[in-house]
Amino acid sequence: MSTEAEIKELEPWFHNIHLPDGNQTADNHFLGDFPAFKWKNIKDSIPQDLTGWKVLDIGCNAGFYSIELAKRGAEVTGIDLDEHYLKQARWTAKQFGLEDKITFKQMQVYDFAHSEEQFDLVWFMGVFYHLRYPMLAMDILSQKTTKMMVFQTLSLPGKEEMEIPEDVEFHKREIMKEDGWPKMAFIENKLAGDPTNWWAPNHQGILSMLESCGFKVTGMPEDETYIAEKDKDLKSSLETWNFSEYLSAVGKDWKKEVDKKTKK
Ligand SMILES: C[S@@+](CC[C@H](N)C(=O)[O-])C[C@H]1O[C@@H](n2cnc3c(N)ncnc32)[C@H](O)[C@@H]1O
């Protein structure tokens, strides 16, 4: 079968991938040359040589980012819940001869709460706002990340930032209505016709969530896209008072774990 016929058989595509033989998987994409136009801006913000790096690509879709990162020498795990996209991703990786560098698995982001694996780089683009439990996913993935996260989400318009106070007095909650206060809009019905869009955080909300998970944002190379580096001085609440809530949320025996921790 010709490459064109194979592309057709694997339709519909969300990633337009430029294959080594010159074919493209979705050359009439509604967003243009997606996601190549995003990658063009992000690519210089991560190391050119990823040899020895373990990378996790969450919601890998047809594997555009998994492939680019594997080309730089990384060992990549790409996960997606949709087997249709994983089939595309496996086929695409083969076209690049990168099938030995990338493992594609059908998984939910939350499944990583039950895995011991760690990753130098977690690629978390285009998934956060599709999650019903986004902060749980952030808490899970922050524990899997040793160096860096590349984070992207659909967001609220605006780029306001603010110094977040240590405490807010009970009767002074007006401050939370300020543009720069960290916020997340809940989408009860649909956004852009899509019922899987649940949340849209604002810019400061993204900075604050990342910080609360132990990341320092070091760059924003592309719209709505954040380079976040693990900062050992920032303590996630998971390491302090919120430990048992997290364990309970991921179905672990939190009483046993808390006993173990406090006996140390
Ligand atoms: C908007 S696409 C983003 C694809 C790619 N990450 C990107 O930035 O171009 C969202 C992808 O995440 C997958 N996805 C959505 N919810 C997920 C979940 N809970 N766990 C794993 N993958 C998920 C979808 O199947 C889809 O392939």
Side-chain angles (χ1 to χ4, degrees):
M1 202 190 285
S2 69
T3 312
E4 290 92 329
E6 288 188 90
I7 292 172
K8 187 111 199 79
E9 199 168 86
L10 287 164
E11 280 180 348
W13 293 83
F14 180 61
H15 278 171
N16 182 38
I17 299 175
H18 295 243
L19 300 172
D21 70 359
N23 275 296
Q24 296 181 40
T25 56
D27 55 3
N28 57 354
H29 200 290
F30 73 106
L31 291 172
D33 191 4
F34 177 87
F37 71 84
K38 285 186 176 282
W39 172 247
K40 194 161 100 348
N41 294 333
I42 303 168
K43 66 184 178 30
D44 294 331
S45 299
I46 51 163
Q48 195 57 47
D49 183 4
L50 292 174
T51 309
W53 282 50
K54 281 186 72 179
V55 172
L56 175 61
D57 183 5
I58 300 287
C60 60
N61 203 268
F64 179 95
Y65 294 113
S66 292
I67 286 163
E68 291 303 331
L69 298 165
K71 279 188 201 163
R72 292 187 178 195
E75 290 293 329
V76 183
T77 301
I79 71 125
D80 206 290
L81 53 80
D82 192 330
E83 195 46 50
H84 168 75
Y85 291 131
L86 289 167
K87 202 170 160 197
Q88 293 179 343
R90 289 190 191 100
W91 179 84
T92 309
K94 233 183 234 159
Q95 308 308 303
F96 285 88
L98 287 168
E99 62 270 40
D100 295 340
K101 298 285 288 176
I102 316 173
T103 310
F104 291 110
K105 295 182 192 168
Q106 188 179 33
M107 283 176 81
Q108 277 276 358
V109 57
Y110 310 105
D111 294 338
F112 282 95
H114 308 285
S115 148
E116 295 301 316
E117 240 181 318
Q118 295 278 298
F119 298 90
D120 300 283
L121 169 61
V122 172
W123 202 266
F124 191 24
M125 288 189 63
V127 180
F128 177 88
Y129 54 96
H130 286 301
L131 303 174
R132 182 90 181 172
Y133 313 102
M135 203 61 207
L136 181 59
M138 289 291 276
D139 279 339
I140 293 168
L141 294 178
S142 65
Q143 293 177 82
K144 299 285 117 197
T145 314
T146 57
K147 291 192 180 93
M148 190 189 274
M149 177 182 278
V150 175
F151 178 83
Q152 186 273 341
T153 180
L154 172 104
S155 62
L156 289 173
K159 285 282 170 289
E160 292 84 2
E161 295 185 12
M162 81 183 271
E163 192 72 38
I164 309 300
E166 263 312 304
D167 196 3
V168 176
E169 280 182 41
F170 189 78
H171 293 294
K172 296 203 172 148
R173 281 171 281 163
E174 283 293 306
I175 190 177
M176 295 184 190
K177 288 162 86 179
E178 286 186 17
D179 287 343
W181 184 268
K183 285 186 193 72
M184 195 138 95
F186 180 64
I187 303 155
E188 185 180 345
N189 296 320
K190 294 179 194 162
L191 183 101
D194 185 347
T196 75
N197 290 324
W198 288 114
W199 299 98
N202 66 357
H203 171 65
Q204 182 60 56
I206 296 163
L207 297 176
S208 292
M209 278 188 284
L210 284 165
E211 186 151 332
S212 162
C213 290
F215 289 101
K216 183 119 208 90
V217 171
T218 56
M220 239 193 113
E222 159 70 17
D223 191 34
E224 301 182 324
T225 306
Y226 299 76
I227 307 292
E229 294 188 31
K230 226 26 193 316
D231 185 333
K232 294 195 174 51
D233 295 333
L234 289 174
K235 282 269 168 280
S236 153
S237 64
L238 285 184
E239 293 165 58
T240 55
W241 63 272
N242 218 36
F243 188 62
S244 66
E245 182 186 341
Y246 171 78
L247 291 173
S248 172
V250 296
K252 294 201 177 159
D253 185 345
W254 65 271
K255 287 185 190 156
K256 200 169 112 196
E257 295 292 325
V258 169
D259 276 354
K260 252 200 281 174
K261 206 176 158 84
T262 45
K263 271 185 198 134
K264 263 190 199 164

